[in-house]
């Protein structure tokens, strides 16, 4: 079994992408599922006191990657090949964002996932995304 814990994922992220460990908080990791919080700050806001689209994309991408990392293990190599996001509501810059991601298909070369993004404390999503990752063949 290659699955790794939240603690192991945090350690791995500090090694390979240190800026991610300061921007995101992993809330939950299960089989083919992850939940991650974007810690809102002035760097991810845009005029109108709302969280920017690129920050939401980054949260979705990071959340999906963490679900894949948890499934594949520490040697996970996966790259985003597609992402389609529907922005449905304006997220307040006053609240952190939380994304949950469910892996719908985990194939040998492709992973397809669905993610929803919420303002913390709200039940209505601000965005939803479909994400596809490619898993390079082992050499």
């Amino acid at each position: 079994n290659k699955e790794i814990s939240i603690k192991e994922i945090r350690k791995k992220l500090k090694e390979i992408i240190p800026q991610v460990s300061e921007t995101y908080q992993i809330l939950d990791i299960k089989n083919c599922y992850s939940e991650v919080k974007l810690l809102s700050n002035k760097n991810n806001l845009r005029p109108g006191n709302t969280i920017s689209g690129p920050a939401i994309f980054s949260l979705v991408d990071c959340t999906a990657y963490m679900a894949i990392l948890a499934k594949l293990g520490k040697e996970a190599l996966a790259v985003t090949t597609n992402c389609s996001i529907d922005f449905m509501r304006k997220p307040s810059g006053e609240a952190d964002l939380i994304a949950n991601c469910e892996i719908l298909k985990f194939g040998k070369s492709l992973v397809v996932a669905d993610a929803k993004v919420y303002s913390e404390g709200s039940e209505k999503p601000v965005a939803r995304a479909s994400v596809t990752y490619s898993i390079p063949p082992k050499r």
Side-chain angles (χ1 to χ4, degrees), residues 4-58:
I4 59 177
S5 69
I6 290 175
K7 185 177 178 181
E8 291 172 306
I9 290 174
R10 284 184 185 140
K11 183 179 177 193
K12 181 70 175 172
L13 288 174
K14 282 185 181 182
E15 292 170 10
I16 60 173
I17 323 171
Q19 67 276 21
V20 166
S21 64
E22 298 166 7
T23 308
Y24 303 95
Q25 178 183 2
I26 304 168
L27 302 176
D28 194 11
I29 296 282
K30 297 177 188 160
N31 187 31
C32 294
Y33 176 85
S34 65
E35 187 172 72
V36 176
K37 180 190 286 193
L38 168 68
L39 305 172
S40 180
N41 63 54
K42 65 180 177 152
N43 296 327
N44 53 34
L45 295 180
R46 68 170 181 80
N49 194 36
T50 187
I51 298 175
S52 71
I56 294 170
F57 166 80
S58 182

Coordinates of all heavy atoms in Angstrom, one line a residue, residues 4-58:
I4 N 0.0 7.5 1.9 CA 0.8 8.2 2.9 C -0.1 9.1 3.7 O -1.2 9.5 3.3 CB 2.0 9.0 2.3 CG1 1.6 10.0 1.3 CG2 3.0 8.0 1.7 CD1 2.7 10.9 0.8
S5 N 0.3 9.5 4.9 CA -0.5 10.3 5.9 C -0.3 11.8 5.6 O 0.5 12.2 4.8 CB 0.0 10.0 7.3 OG 1.3 10.6 7.5
I6 N -1.2 12.6 6.2 CA -1.2 14.0 6.1 C 0.2 14.5 6.5 O 0.8 15.4 5.9 CB -2.3 14.7 6.9 CG1 -3.6 14.4 6.3 CG2 -2.0 16.2 7.0 CD1 -4.8 15.0 7.1
K7 N 0.7 14.0 7.6 CA 2.0 14.4 8.2 C 3.1 14.2 7.1 O 4.0 15.0 6.9 CB 2.3 13.6 9.5 CG 3.6 14.1 10.2 CD 3.7 13.3 11.5 CE 5.0 13.7 12.2 NZ 5.2 13.0 13.4
E8 N 3.1 13.0 6.5 CA 4.1 12.7 5.5 C 4.0 13.6 4.2 O 5.0 14.0 3.7 CB 4.0 11.2 5.0 CG 4.4 10.2 6.1 CD 4.1 8.8 5.7 OE1 2.9 8.5 5.4 OE2 5.0 8.0 5.8
I9 N 2.7 13.9 3.9 CA 2.5 14.8 2.7 C 3.0 16.2 3.1 O 3.7 16.8 2.2 CB 1.0 14.9 2.3 CG1 0.6 13.5 1.7 CG2 0.7 16.0 1.4 CD1 -0.9 13.4 1.4
R10 N 2.7 16.7 4.3 CA 3.3 18.0 4.7 C 4.8 18.1 4.6 O 5.4 19.0 4.1 CB 2.8 18.4 6.1 CG 1.4 18.8 6.2 CD 1.0 19.2 7.6 NE -0.4 19.4 7.7 CZ -1.2 19.1 8.7 NH1 -0.7 18.5 9.7 NH2 -2.5 19.4 8.7
K11 N 5.4 17.0 5.1 CA 6.9 16.9 5.0 C 7.4 16.9 3.6 O 8.3 17.7 3.2 CB 7.4 15.7 5.8 CG 8.9 15.6 5.8 CD 9.3 14.3 6.6 CE 10.8 14.2 6.5 NZ 11.3 12.9 7.0
K12 N 6.7 16.1 2.7 CA 7.1 16.1 1.3 C 7.0 17.4 0.6 O 7.8 17.8 -0.1 CB 6.3 15.0 0.6 CG 6.7 14.8 -0.8 CD 8.0 14.1 -1.0 CE 8.3 13.8 -2.5 NZ 9.6 13.4 -2.7
L13 N 5.9 18.1 0.9 CA 5.6 19.4 0.3 C 6.6 20.4 0.7 O 7.1 21.2 -0.1 CB 4.2 19.9 0.6 CG 3.1 19.2 -0.1 CD1 1.7 19.6 0.4 CD2 3.2 19.3 -1.6
K14 N 7.1 20.4 2.0 CA 8.1 21.3 2.4 C 9.4 21.1 1.7 O 10.1 22.0 1.4 CB 8.3 21.2 3.9 CG 7.2 21.9 4.7 CD 7.5 21.9 6.2 CE 6.4 22.6 6.9 NZ 6.6 22.6 8.4
E15 N 9.6 19.8 1.3 CA 10.9 19.5 0.5 C 10.8 20.0 -0.9 O 11.7 20.6 -1.4 CB 11.1 18.0 0.6 CG 11.5 17.4 1.9 CD 11.5 15.9 1.9 OE1 11.4 15.3 0.8 OE2 11.6 15.3 3.0
I16 N 9.7 19.7 -1.6 CA 9.6 19.9 -3.0 C 8.9 21.2 -3.4 O 9.3 21.8 -4.4 CB 8.9 18.7 -3.7 CG1 7.4 18.5 -3.2 CG2 9.7 17.5 -3.6 CD1 6.6 17.5 -4.0
I17 N 8.0 21.7 -2.6 CA 7.3 23.0 -2.9 C 7.1 23.8 -1.6 O 6.0 23.8 -1.1 CB 5.9 22.8 -3.6 CG1 6.0 21.6 -4.6 CG2 5.5 24.0 -4.3 CD1 4.6 21.2 -5.1
P18 N 8.1 24.3 -1.0 CA 8.0 25.0 0.3 C 7.0 26.1 0.4 O 6.3 26.2 1.4 CB 9.4 25.5 0.6 CG 10.2 25.4 -0.7 CD 9.5 24.5 -1.6
Q19 N 6.7 26.8 -0.7 CA 5.8 27.9 -0.6 C 4.3 27.4 -0.5 O 3.5 28.0 0.1 CB 5.9 28.8 -1.9 CG 5.5 28.2 -3.2 CD 6.6 27.4 -3.9 OE1 7.5 27.0 -3.2 NE2 6.5 27.2 -5.2
V20 N 4.1 26.2 -0.9 CA 2.7 25.6 -0.8 C 2.4 25.3 0.7 O 1.3 25.5 1.2 CB 2.6 24.3 -1.6 CG1 1.4 23.5 -1.2 CG2 2.6 24.6 -3.1
S21 N 3.4 24.8 1.4 CA 3.2 24.5 2.8 C 2.9 25.7 3.7 O 2.3 25.6 4.8 CB 4.4 23.8 3.4 OG 5.5 24.6 3.4
E22 N 3.2 26.9 3.2 CA 2.9 28.1 4.0 C 1.5 28.8 3.5 O 1.0 29.6 4.2 CB 4.0 29.1 3.8 CG 5.3 28.6 4.3 CD 6.5 29.5 3.8 OE1 6.3 30.5 3.1 OE2 7.6 29.1 4.0
T23 N 1.0 28.3 2.4 CA -0.2 28.9 1.8 C -1.4 28.1 2.1 O -2.5 28.6 2.1 CB 0.0 29.1 0.3 OG1 1.2 29.9 0.1 CG2 -1.1 29.9 -0.3
Y24 N -1.2 26.7 2.2 CA -2.3 25.8 2.3 C -2.2 25.0 3.5 O -1.1 24.7 4.0 CB -2.3 24.8 1.1 CG -2.4 25.6 -0.2 CD1 -1.2 25.9 -0.9 CD2 -3.6 26.0 -0.7 CE1 -1.3 26.6 -2.1 CE2 -3.7 26.7 -1.9 CZ -2.5 27.0 -2.6 OH -2.6 27.7 -3.8
Q25 N -3.4 24.6 4.0 CA -3.5 23.7 5.2 C -4.3 22.4 4.8 O -5.4 22.5 4.3 CB -4.1 24.4 6.4 CG -4.3 23.6 7.6 CD -5.1 24.3 8.7 OE1 -5.5 25.4 8.5 NE2 -5.2 23.6 9.8
I26 N -3.6 21.3 4.9 CA -4.3 20.0 4.6 C -5.3 19.7 5.7 O -4.8 19.5 6.9 CB -3.3 18.9 4.4 CG1 -2.3 19.2 3.3 CG2 -4.1 17.6 4.0 CD1 -1.2 18.3 3.2
L27 N -6.6 19.6 5.4 CA -7.6 19.3 6.5 C -7.9 17.8 6.6 O -8.1 17.3 7.6 CB -8.8 20.1 6.2 CG -8.7 21.6 6.2 CD1 -10.0 22.3 5.8 CD2 -8.2 22.1 7.5
D28 N -7.9 17.1 5.4 CA -8.3 15.7 5.4 C -7.7 15.0 4.2 O -7.7 15.6 3.1 CB -9.8 15.6 5.4 CG -10.3 14.2 5.8 OD1 -9.5 13.4 6.2 OD2 -11.5 14.0 5.6
I29 N -7.3 13.8 4.3 CA -6.9 12.9 3.2 C -7.5 11.6 3.5 O -7.4 11.0 4.6 CB -5.4 12.8 3.2 CG1 -4.7 14.1 2.9 CG2 -5.0 11.7 2.2 CD1 -4.7 14.6 1.4
K30 N -8.2 11.1 2.5 CA -8.8 9.7 2.6 C -8.5 9.0 1.2 O -7.9 9.7 0.3 CB -10.3 9.7 2.8 CG -10.7 10.3 4.1 CD -12.3 10.4 4.2 CE -12.7 11.2 5.4 NZ -14.0 11.7 5.3
N31 N -8.9 7.8 1.0 CA -8.8 7.2 -0.2 C -9.5 8.0 -1.3 O -10.7 8.1 -1.3 CB -9.3 5.7 -0.1 CG -9.0 5.0 -1.4 OD1 -8.0 5.2 -2.1 ND2 -9.9 4.1 -1.7
C32 N -8.7 8.5 -2.3 CA -9.3 9.2 -3.4 C -10.0 10.5 -3.0 O -10.9 10.9 -3.7 CB -10.1 8.3 -4.3 SG -9.2 7.0 -5.1
Y33 N -9.6 11.1 -1.9 CA -10.3 12.3 -1.5 C -9.3 13.2 -0.7 O -8.5 12.7 0.0 CB -11.5 12.0 -0.6 CG -12.2 13.2 0.1 CD1 -13.2 13.8 -0.6 CD2 -11.8 13.6 1.3 CE1 -13.8 14.9 -0.1 CE2 -12.4 14.8 1.9 CZ -13.4 15.4 1.2 OH -14.0 16.5 1.7
S34 N -9.4 14.5 -0.9 CA -8.6 15.4 -0.1 C -9.4 16.7 0.2 O -10.4 17.0 -0.6 CB -7.3 15.8 -0.8 OG -7.6 16.5 -2.0
E35 N -9.1 17.4 1.3 CA -9.7 18.6 1.6 C -8.6 19.6 2.1 O -7.8 19.2 3.0 CB -10.7 18.4 2.7 CG -11.5 19.6 3.0 CD -12.7 19.3 4.0 OE1 -12.4 19.1 5.2 OE2 -13.8 19.3 3.6
V36 N -8.5 20.7 1.5 CA -7.4 21.7 1.7 C -8.0 23.1 1.9 O -8.9 23.5 1.2 CB -6.4 21.6 0.5 CG1 -5.3 22.6 0.7 CG2 -5.8 20.2 0.4
K37 N -7.3 23.8 2.8 CA -7.7 25.2 3.0 C -6.7 26.2 2.5 O -5.5 26.0 2.7 CB -7.8 25.5 4.5 CG -8.3 26.9 4.9 CD -8.1 27.2 6.4 CE -9.2 26.5 7.2 NZ -9.3 27.1 8.5
L38 N -7.1 27.2 1.7 CA -6.3 28.3 1.3 C -6.4 29.3 2.3 O -7.4 29.8 2.7 CB -6.8 28.8 -0.1 CG -6.2 30.1 -0.5 CD1 -4.7 30.0 -0.9 CD2 -6.9 30.7 -1.7
L39 N -5.2 29.7 2.9 CA -5.2 30.7 3.9 C -5.2 32.1 3.2 O -4.2 32.5 2.6 CB -3.9 30.5 4.8 CG -3.8 29.1 5.4 CD1 -2.5 28.9 6.1 CD2 -4.9 28.9 6.4
S40 N -6.3 32.7 3.3 CA -6.5 34.0 2.6 C -5.5 35.1 3.1 O -5.3 35.2 4.3 CB -7.9 34.5 2.7 OG -8.1 35.7 2.1
N41 N -4.9 35.8 2.2 CA -4.1 36.9 2.6 C -4.1 38.0 1.5 O -4.7 37.7 0.4 CB -2.7 36.5 2.9 CG -2.0 35.9 1.7 OD1 -1.9 36.5 0.7 ND2 -1.5 34.6 1.9
K42 N -3.5 39.1 1.7 CA -3.5 40.2 0.7 C -2.9 39.8 -0.7 O -3.3 40.3 -1.7 CB -2.8 41.4 1.2 CG -1.3 41.2 1.4 CD -0.6 42.5 2.0 CE 0.8 42.1 2.2 NZ 1.7 43.1 2.1
N43 N -2.1 38.7 -0.7 CA -1.5 38.3 -2.0 C -2.5 37.6 -2.9 O -2.2 37.5 -4.1 CB -0.3 37.4 -1.7 CG 0.9 38.2 -1.0 OD1 1.1 39.3 -1.2 ND2 1.6 37.5 -0.2
N44 N -3.6 37.1 -2.4 CA -4.5 36.4 -3.2 C -5.8 37.1 -3.4 O -6.8 36.6 -3.8 CB -4.7 34.9 -2.8 CG -5.1 34.7 -1.4 OD1 -5.8 35.6 -0.8 ND2 -4.6 33.7 -0.8
L45 N -5.8 38.4 -3.0 CA -7.0 39.2 -3.2 C -6.9 40.1 -4.4 O -5.9 40.4 -4.9 CB -7.2 40.2 -2.0 CG -7.5 39.5 -0.6 CD1 -7.6 40.6 0.4 CD2 -8.7 38.6 -0.7
R46 N -8.1 40.4 -5.0 CA -8.2 41.4 -6.1 C -9.1 42.5 -5.7 O -9.8 42.4 -4.7 CB -8.5 40.7 -7.4 CG -10.0 40.1 -7.4 CD -10.2 39.7 -8.9 NE -11.6 39.2 -9.0 CZ -12.7 39.9 -9.2 NH1 -12.6 41.2 -9.2 NH2 -13.9 39.4 -9.3
P47 N -9.2 43.6 -6.5 CA -10.1 44.6 -6.1 C -11.5 44.1 -5.9 O -12.0 43.2 -6.6 CB -10.0 45.6 -7.3 CG -8.7 45.3 -7.9 CD -8.4 43.8 -7.6
G48 N -12.2 44.7 -4.9 CA -13.5 44.3 -4.5 C -13.5 43.4 -3.3 O -14.5 42.7 -3.0
N49 N -12.3 43.2 -2.7 CA -12.1 42.3 -1.6 C -12.6 40.9 -1.8 O -13.4 40.3 -1.1 CB -12.8 42.9 -0.3 CG -12.3 42.2 0.9 OD1 -11.2 41.8 1.0 ND2 -13.2 42.0 1.9
T50 N -12.2 40.3 -2.9 CA -12.5 39.0 -3.3 C -11.3 38.2 -3.6 O -10.3 38.8 -4.0 CB -13.5 38.9 -4.5 OG1 -14.0 37.6 -4.7 CG2 -12.9 39.5 -5.8
I51 N -11.3 36.9 -3.5 CA -10.2 36.1 -3.8 C -10.1 35.9 -5.3 O -11.1 35.6 -5.9 CB -10.2 34.7 -3.0 CG1 -10.2 35.0 -1.5 CG2 -9.1 33.8 -3.4 CD1 -10.4 33.9 -0.6
S52 N -8.9 36.0 -5.8 CA -8.7 36.0 -7.3 C -8.9 34.6 -7.9 O -8.8 33.6 -7.2 CB -7.3 36.5 -7.6 OG -6.3 35.5 -7.3
G53 N -9.3 34.6 -9.2 CA -9.4 33.4 -9.9 C -8.2 32.5 -9.9 O -8.2 31.3 -9.7
P54 N -7.0 33.1 -10.2 CA -5.8 32.3 -10.1 C -5.5 31.7 -8.8 O -5.0 30.6 -8.7 CB -4.7 33.4 -10.5 CG -5.4 34.4 -11.3 CD -6.7 34.5 -10.7
A55 N -5.9 32.3 -7.7 CA -5.8 31.7 -6.4 C -6.7 30.5 -6.2 O -6.3 29.5 -5.6 CB -6.0 32.8 -5.3
I56 N -7.9 30.6 -6.8 CA -8.9 29.5 -6.7 C -8.4 28.4 -7.6 O -8.4 27.2 -7.1 CB -10.3 30.0 -7.2 CG1 -10.8 31.0 -6.1 CG2 -11.2 28.8 -7.3 CD1 -12.1 31.7 -6.6
F57 N -7.8 28.7 -8.8 CA -7.2 27.6 -9.6 C -6.1 26.9 -8.8 O -6.0 25.7 -8.8 CB -6.7 28.1 -10.9 CG -5.8 27.1 -11.6 CD1 -6.4 26.1 -12.3 CD2 -4.4 27.2 -11.5 CE1 -5.6 25.1 -12.9 CE2 -3.6 26.2 -12.0 CZ -4.2 25.2 -12.8
S58 N -5.3 27.7 -8.2 CA -4.1 27.1 -7.5 C -4.6 26.2 -6.3 O -4.1 25.1 -6.1 CB -3.3 28.3 -6.9 OG -2.2 27.8 -6.2

